[in-house]
Amino acid sequence: MAQNMVFENVWLDKGKYDDAERIYYEGKAK
Amino acid sequence: MVSGTLYTYPENCRAYKALIAAKYASANVKVDTSFVFGETNKTEAFLRKFPSGKVPAFESSDGKCLQNGDAIAYYVANEQLRGKTDLEKAQILQWICFAESEILPASCAWVFPILGIVQYDKKTFDRSKEDVKAALGILNTHLLTRTYLVGERISLADITVACNLLHLYTHVLDPNFRKPYVNVNRWFTTMVNQPNFKAVAGEVHLCAKVAEVDP
Amino acid sequence: MVSGTLYTYPENCRAYKALIAAKYASANVKVDTSFVFGETNKTEAFLRKFPSGKVPAFESSDGKCLQNGDAIAYYVANEQLRGKTDLEKAQILQWICFAESEILPASCAWVFPILGIVQYDKKTFDRSKEDVKAALGILNTHLLTRTYLVGERISLADITVACNLLHLYTHVLDPNFRKPYVNVNRWFTTMVNQPNFKAVAGEVHLCAKVAEVDP
C-alpha cells in the first residue's frame, strides 16, 4: 500500500508557502 | 441511484471517501479488482476516460467519468450527505477544502517519511507536526458543541475529514499527542465505528506508539 | 440573495473567486476596507468568528460565517454557477479540487521565487514548470471541444480555475511557453474579459516576457 502512495503528489511543503505568502501580504498591508 | 465502477489501488483513503458515501447512499459502486496501479491507469483506454491517469477514478454505469475522491463521493452521495441548505453545502465545501489543504499536506509530510515514501527532511517534518496541531485545534473547538461537522447528521464533510485523518490517527497520533483533542478523538472514534465506515476502512486501530522516522 | 462582508487583503486571487461569483449572482458582497491583514485577523473578535484567522473570510448579513474562497464563492453564487445536475455539481467539485491540488502548488512554486516571496530552489522551481505543463495539458484537451469547463455556461469551475491561473498567466506564461495551449489561452482570455471578472480582477495583461528569478 505504501509504495502506491509514492505516486500521490501532495504539497508537502505547503506550510512553507503559506507562511511566506502571509508574511509577504502582511508586509504589503503595512 | 448511481451505480458504477471505481478504479483505485487498495487502502487508498481518497477512494474510501467515495466508497463510504456510496454505502450511506446505497449506491452500487464496485471496485474493479482487475485494476493494476501503474499499468491499467497508463493504458490508452484508461487515459481517454481519465486524462490525468490519477486514481481514484469512477465510471458510472451510464458512462459518466469522474476523477478525485471528493468529486466522486459527491456524485454517489445522497441529499443528506451533500447538505440540505445552501449554507450547509457551502460549509461542507469549506471542510472538504480544509481536509485537502490543511490536513492532507501536513499528514503526508509527517507520515510519508516514516513509511519511507519520501526523503526525511527535518524542517518539513517538524513543521508538519505544528500544522497538524493547528488543524486539530480548529476541529476540536468546532466539535466542542457539535456531534458532526455540518448540521445534525453525518455528511460528506465528516467523511472527507475523517478519511484524511486516517494516516495520522493510525501511524503517529499516539495517546500523548492526541490527548488535548478530546472532541476530535470522540468524533473520529464515532466516525470509524460507523458500520458504513468500517465496511470500507475495516477495523481502525488508533496509534499506540508513534512510529519514528529513521533519518 | 445573499449579502455580507468579505475580509481579505487586496489582490487576493482566493477572494476574487467569491467576488466574481457574487457579481454573477448579483449578491451584495462588500469588502471591508478597514481590514488590515496581519492585524484585524489576529484580533479576538475576528478569531471568534474565523478560528484559523485565514482570509478570505465572509460574514453574511444574517451572521453566517465562512472561510475559504471556494466555499464563500459557492455560498454567494446562484444555481447556474453551482451546476444544475448532480453530475455538473460533481464535475464542478472535481475542477475546484484540480485548481487547488494541481494548479495552485505549481503556480506558487514557480511564481513565488520570482516575486521574492520564497527562497529560490532550482529543483522545486524546475519541477513546478513540468507540473504547470501537465495541468495546462489536461485543461487544453478538455477545452478542445468545450467553451466552458462544465456544461454550456460559466460556472464556479471556470471561476476557480481561472483565478488560480492568474499569477501564472500574468507573471510567467510568456507567449512562447503558452503557445501549445491554444484552447486554454482562448478560454482564459474569454474569462478575464467577462465584465463580471474584469470588474473584480481589473485589466489582466498576459505575460509578455517571463520574469526570471534572481537566484
Side-chain angles (χ1 to χ4, degrees):
Chain A
M1 178 267 285
Q3 72 282 3
N4 287 329
M5 292 199 294
V6 163
F7 301 98
E8 294 288 353
N9 78 322
V10 181
W11 200 1
L12 295 175
D13 53 355
K14 179 178 182 291
K16 177 184 94 173
Y17 286 91
D18 283 351
D19 279 354
E21 186 175 358
R22 179 175 48 76
I23 293 163
Y24 178 76
Y25 283 104
E26 281 182 356
K28 277 187 100 171
K30 287 202 173 70
Chain B
M1 198 79 68
V2 169
S3 67
T5 305
L6 192 72
Y7 302 94
T8 181
Y9 53 79
E11 297 174 33
N12 179 355
C13 297
R14 295 174 197 270
Y16 284 176
K17 299 174 182 180
L19 294 169
I20 294 165
K23 290 278 183 204
Y24 276 98
S26 314
N28 177 17
V29 174
K30 291 260 170 302
V31 175
D32 180 341
T33 48
S34 68
F35 176 85
V36 178
F37 188 60
E39 289 173 22
T40 317
N41 57 315
K42 291 188 175 161
T43 60
E44 260 299 295
F46 190 89
L47 292 169
R48 237 192 329 274
K49 291 176 186 167
F50 307 110
S52 73
K54 294 196 174 189
V55 293
F58 176 76
E59 181 172 10
S60 67
S61 314
D62 58 352
K64 307 281 191 310
C65 293
L66 277 171
Q67 285 178 279
N68 180 275
D70 291 304
I72 300 167
Y74 181 93
Y75 189 53
V76 305
N78 57 15
E79 200 210 8
Q80 177 204 317
L81 293 181
R82 290 173 182 153
K84 292 200 164 53
T85 65
D86 289 342
L87 178 63
E88 282 190 357
K89 291 170 186 171
Q91 289 169 330
I92 287 169
L93 181 53
Q94 176 182 266
W95 286 111
I96 289 174
C97 295
F98 178 86
E100 287 299 293
S101 64
E102 306 305 324
I103 297 176
L104 188 68
S107 166
C108 295
W110 187 352
V111 174
F112 278 15
I114 290 173
L115 298 183
I117 294 172
V118 296
Q119 196 76 28
Y120 170 79
D121 164 75
K122 181 166 175 17
K123 203 161 168 244
T124 309
F125 190 73
D126 294 347
R127 168 67 203 256
S128 67
K129 295 182 184 178
E130 295 315 306
D131 290 341
V132 168
K133 284 179 188 167
L136 291 176
I138 286 171
L139 275 169
N140 204 54
T141 306
H142 186 79
L143 289 164
L144 177 66
T145 58
R146 293 177 178 87
T147 303
Y148 295 108
L149 290 174
V150 175
E152 291 309 322
R153 299 180 64 187
I154 197 166
S155 73
L156 289 172
D158 302 288
I159 294 172
T160 191
V161 171
C163 286
N164 278 22
L165 286 172
L166 274 173
H167 285 315
L168 286 170
Y169 264 105
T170 51
H171 291 291
V172 292
L173 299 187
D174 65 303
N176 200 33
F177 189 99
R178 61 178 188 251
K179 198 165 166 211
Y181 311 107
V182 175
N183 307 318
V184 188
N185 299 335
R186 180 206 71 231
W187 164 83
F188 184 77
T189 310
T190 304
M191 282 300 297
V192 298
N193 283 297
Q194 297 300 308
N196 288 330
F197 204 106
K198 194 169 276 196
V200 172
E203 198 63 40
V204 172
H205 301 288
L206 301 189
C207 171
K209 188 176 175 312
V210 60
E212 281 304 331
V213 66
D214 165 7
Chain C
M1 195 81 67
V2 170
S3 67
T5 305
L6 191 72
Y7 302 94
T8 180
Y9 50 77
E11 297 168 26
N12 181 355
C13 298
R14 295 183 182 85
Y16 284 175
K17 300 175 181 179
L19 293 168
I20 294 165
K23 289 279 183 205
Y24 276 97
S26 312
N28 177 15
V29 174
K30 292 263 171 297
V31 175
D32 180 340
T33 50
S34 68
F35 176 85
V36 179
F37 187 54
E39 288 173 21
T40 317
N41 58 314
K42 291 180 178 171
T43 61
E44 263 295 298
F46 190 91
L47 291 169
R48 236 191 327 275
K49 292 175 186 168
F50 307 110
S52 74
K54 294 199 171 187
V55 294
F58 176 76
E59 182 171 11
S60 67
S61 314
D62 60 351
K64 307 281 189 320
C65 292
L66 277 173
Q67 285 179 277
N68 181 275
D70 291 305
I72 300 168
Y74 181 93
Y75 189 54
V76 304
N78 57 16
E79 199 211 9
Q80 176 202 320
L81 292 180
R82 291 172 181 155
K84 287 197 166 54
T85 65
D86 289 341
L87 177 64
E88 282 189 359
K89 291 169 185 170
Q91 289 170 328
I92 287 169
L93 181 53
Q94 176 182 270
W95 286 111
I96 288 173
C97 295
F98 178 85
E100 288 300 292
S101 61
E102 307 301 326
I103 298 176
L104 186 64
S107 170
C108 292
W110 188 353
V111 175
F112 278 21
I114 290 174
L115 297 182
I117 297 179
V118 295
Q119 199 79 29
Y120 170 78
D121 162 72
K122 180 164 178 15
K123 194 166 155 253
T124 311
F125 191 73
D126 294 346
R127 161 77 197 261
S128 69
K129 295 182 182 179
E130 295 315 307
D131 290 345
V132 169
K133 284 178 187 166
L136 290 177
I138 286 169
L139 275 170
N140 204 54
T141 306
H142 187 77
L143 288 164
L144 178 66
T145 58
R146 294 178 178 86
T147 303
Y148 295 109
L149 290 174
V150 174
E152 290 309 324
R153 297 181 64 187
I154 197 167
S155 73
L156 290 171
D158 302 290
I159 294 172
T160 192
V161 171
C163 286
N164 278 24
L165 286 172
L166 272 172
H167 280 168
L168 286 169
Y169 264 105
T170 50
H171 291 293
V172 291
L173 300 187
D174 64 304
N176 201 32
F177 189 98
R178 61 177 188 253
K179 197 159 166 226
Y181 311 106
V182 175
N183 308 317
V184 188
N185 299 335
R186 182 205 70 231
W187 164 83
F188 184 79
T189 309
T190 303
M191 282 300 297
V192 298
N193 282 296
Q194 297 301 306
N196 288 330
F197 204 107
K198 194 169 275 197
V200 171
E203 198 64 41
V204 173
H205 301 288
L206 300 190
C207 171
K209 188 177 174 313
V210 61
E212 282 304 329
V213 66
D214 163 9

